[in-house]
Amino acid sequence: MPPRTAIVAAAVVAAALVIVELAWTMPLGPGVVQLAVFVWFALPGWLVARRVYRHAVGGRAVALGIGPMLGYVACVFLMLYLWLLGLRSWPLLALPPLVVALLAWMPIDAVGREAELPRLTRRDALAAILLLLLVPLVTLLPFANIGAEVGDGRAYRAYFTADFVWAMTVVEEVSKGDVPPQNPFLANEPLRYYWLSHFLSAAEFRIWNGRLMAEQVLIANSIGTSLLFVGFLFVFVRHFVASTGAVAAAVAAVFLANSYEGVHQIYALWRLHAPFDLLRTLNIDAITRWMLGGMPVDGLHRMLLYQPHHLMGYASGLTALLLLRQVHDIGRAEVALAAGVLLGLSLLFSSFIAIVLGAAVAVVYAIRLVTAADWRGLTVAAVSGALPAAAAYILANGLRYVEGGADLMRFGPNYVALRQWPLALLLSFGPMLILGMGGLVAVVRERRRDVLPVVALVVVSLAAYFLVDVPDMGGVWVGWRAGHLLFVSFTVLTAIGLAWVARGGRLVRTAGLGLAAALCLAATPTVAIDVYNAQDTSNRAEASGFPWTLVLTHPEVEALDWLRANTPPDARVQVEPWCRNPATWGYLPAFAGRRMAAGLPIAMIPLRPYEDASSLVRDGVYRANAQEAWAVAHRMGIDVLLVGPPERRHYDRIEARLDARPDLFPPLFRNASVTLYAVAR
């Protein structure tokens, strides 16, 4: 058993690295305040979880692993109601934890009555704290180089111009205060996106009122969310595996050794006698898409880098599934109600994930209650669990997440997923697939019925991977979400397999663990290359239609800052979307905080309305004469027209045409790169 001093030392090192990362990316004072707010939001979850598990052996330790993430989710959800009541200042950050903490004095301990929990020890505490070091290991340099000042401007690595810049866009828009938020890419439409996961960042950005940039607020909350999820995942896996070492090894592997795409490309370059420097020009964790034309799956390390907001929905839904492992009598109304609440929260924070996890929960309920012929329990569970899930669905509709009647999911063979699928699965999931299958063999041989929730999640996730598609996303979107749930499932199965091998004879143990180490070692290049590329803002090469590093030149930054300072927050500023796609699709909403009448955003479904509006801007404004351009711009509600280098390259004499009619387009701002024109009223 490790001494307490070792645990304290590890905790101090982890805390110091987090402070260093915050200090590297933002002013230390505001960074510490951001961290304090995050801890404040997580704290009531621990108190509530302690109440739920107060009659269970080991409840306090499990509550510390699971509770903070759920407390954070609950507090952000409660913020929405205070926001609707008009609370938009610092009390908005103080009140939600106090309200959520009141649950700890309610009779919610009935949910965890007779719960079967792992008995966590100091060894588990040390392992969990050491695993937290994965977060700064993966994110420190990439986060430090978001918006890095370089010689010719401000640099953003290409990956961040997709996911991170999208997050900046959502934060900028939600912070304006409209509920539902307006769509910054389509005039007179709501933002049809599950934006609640960014709500805390948006509220803080509004409250800071310019003292922190949107990316700085996002970085602080991203670090906190990632830390909570790593701890949550450790405790989640520990419920199924008694060996602390096996669990720690599996969790470390899923973040650091999760794909063979890196070693595949190293071998390919070696065989072609090509320079290894070409690895800098690859989206290395998407080789299955780029080289095989198959389904891409992002490793879990990318969740820490680009999409930590999804982790809130993941944790909520996974806790609903975990509840079915902890409780024997799952037919009780209070258990089903708790599972429904957790799935409902998951739906509001990461909608597709909630659907997959909800299906897995339903499978477990059906198998356990039907085989036990517990028809009454099945009926009670169905009604109790459906009520909060239905309420969440109604709320999501009220928040206008989804366009009414939109075809958001299509069922049937996903032909992208079926393309070279054996090789694609092996490359995407690497050792987690191989070791996970070994763990599944151990589950069958040992007749582990307690692993049913994980097996159900594997089956449902694979079904979604191969049989579901999302329109306008090229057949690949499902792979990211279903792939992450498969990674979580394979982490549990890998830990089971490692523990099984460790219990074998000396020869079996030596050979098995040696093979597992070799399999994982071969997968480390993917994460190493990916993390290096994510922070490499010196790469100015071109990818498929966009630069690997987006550089906002000094004149562009000056123009964007001018817009932020001199136009109202609800002003619509327009660029020509087609000539900027896909390099700077989020240019104005993310970097100037201003809406567009038409744009081409990623991940918006259906895409056709955005394409139609962008075509109208292209043909009716930038290609037309000044009189026609004014009429179209006026009709679309455009307040300011921007002409930058892309517009000049694609539209000959565009500035001369607009300058000739100052009565229609009076110039507002001009520098070496950007000209801004008002649209006269």
Side-chain angles (χ1 to χ4, degrees), residues 306-649:
Y306 315 128
Q307 298 176 332
H309 56 281
H310 281 298
L311 298 177
M312 301 165 72
Y314 286 31
S316 298
L318 287 169
T319 304
L321 198 63
L322 185 61
L323 196 59
L324 307 187
R325 160 65 179 82
Q326 295 173 338
V327 179
H328 292 292
D329 184 9
I330 63 173
R332 289 187 285 130
E334 58 268 25
V335 174
L337 184 64
V341 169
L342 290 165
L343 288 172
L345 288 172
S346 182
L347 181 74
L348 294 171
F349 285 88
S350 189
S351 304
F352 184 82
I353 284 295
I355 295 172
V356 177
L357 285 165
V361 167
V363 168
V364 176
Y365 261 107
I367 292 176
R368 287 184 57 178
L369 296 181
V370 169
T371 55
D374 186 359
W375 309 115
R376 179 183 177 279
L378 188 62
T379 303
V380 169
V383 173
S384 302
L387 289 176
Y393 175 77
I394 293 170
L395 180 58
N397 279 339
L399 296 176
R400 309 292 295 277
Y401 277 5
V402 177
E403 183 174 0
D407 181 15
L408 294 179
M409 287 196 299
R410 296 171 183 168
F411 298 92
N414 185 324
Y415 294 104
V416 174
L418 292 170
R419 202 170 294 150
Q420 300 194 57
W421 66 268
L423 179 58
L425 285 177
L426 178 62
L427 292 180
S428 291
F429 294 100
M432 305 307 295
L433 176 65
I434 300 170
L435 298 175
M437 292 303 99
L440 190 59
V441 171
V443 167
V444 173
R445 291 193 59 175
E446 297 180 348
R447 299 182 180 181
R448 293 276 306 273
R449 295 185 179 182
D450 62 301
V451 189
L452 175 61
V454 174
V455 175
L457 185 57
V458 170
V459 172
V460 173
S461 299
L462 283 173
Y465 182 95
F466 286 109
L467 299 174
V468 178
D469 187 19
V470 173
D472 296 336
M473 293 290 112
V476 303
W477 193 88
V478 171
W480 293 319
R481 303 283 85 82
H484 289 151
L485 292 180
L486 284 170
F487 268 124
V488 171
S489 304
F490 290 156
T491 304
V492 176
L493 294 175
T494 294
I496 290 173
L498 292 175
W500 183 44
V501 170
R503 291 194 301 269
R506 182 177 179 181
L507 181 60
V508 171
R509 184 167 60 249
T510 302
L513 296 181
L515 177 61
L519 290 172
C520 290
L521 185 63
T524 55
T526 302
V527 176
I529 294 167
D530 209 28
V531 171
Y532 178 85
N533 285 345
Q535 59 81 46
D536 183 16
T537 55
S538 66
N539 185 349
R540 304 301 175 87
E542 287 287 323
S544 300
F546 62 91
W548 279 117
T549 300
L550 170 67
V551 177
L552 301 179
T553 64
H554 294 302
E556 287 179 294
V557 171
E558 181 187 15
L560 295 170
D561 288 344
W562 188 94
L563 282 169
R564 188 183 292 275
N566 295 279
T567 59
D570 61 350
R572 294 203 176 272
V573 184
Q574 191 63 49
V575 294
E576 202 284 85
W578 289 106
C579 73
R580 289 178 174 271
N581 189 51
T584 54
W585 57 270
Y587 192 66
L588 290 166
F591 299 113
R594 295 299 176 263
R595 299 165 180 163
M596 301 165 63
L600 294 170
I602 60 172
M604 297 295 274
I605 305 168
L607 193 57
R608 177 55 66 86
Y610 300 92
E611 294 176 332
D612 291 344
S614 296
S615 295
L616 181 58
V617 167
R618 177 188 60 196
D619 299 331
V621 177
Y622 284 89
R623 285 179 175 172
N625 62 50
Q627 185 68 44
E628 294 171 345
W630 177 85
V632 172
H634 188 271
R635 188 167 67 249
M636 296 184 73
I638 297 171
D639 299 301
V640 178
L641 206 62
L642 186 150
V643 175
E647 287 79 16
R648 291 193 193 93
R649 285 195 301 268

Side-chain angles (χ1 to χ4, degrees), residues 10 44 50 133 141 155 197 235 250 297 327 347 405 427 456 507 537 667:
R50 281 186 60 180
L133 299 176
L141 290 178
S197 53
V235 175
V297 176
V327 179
L347 181 74
L427 292 180
L507 181 60
T537 55

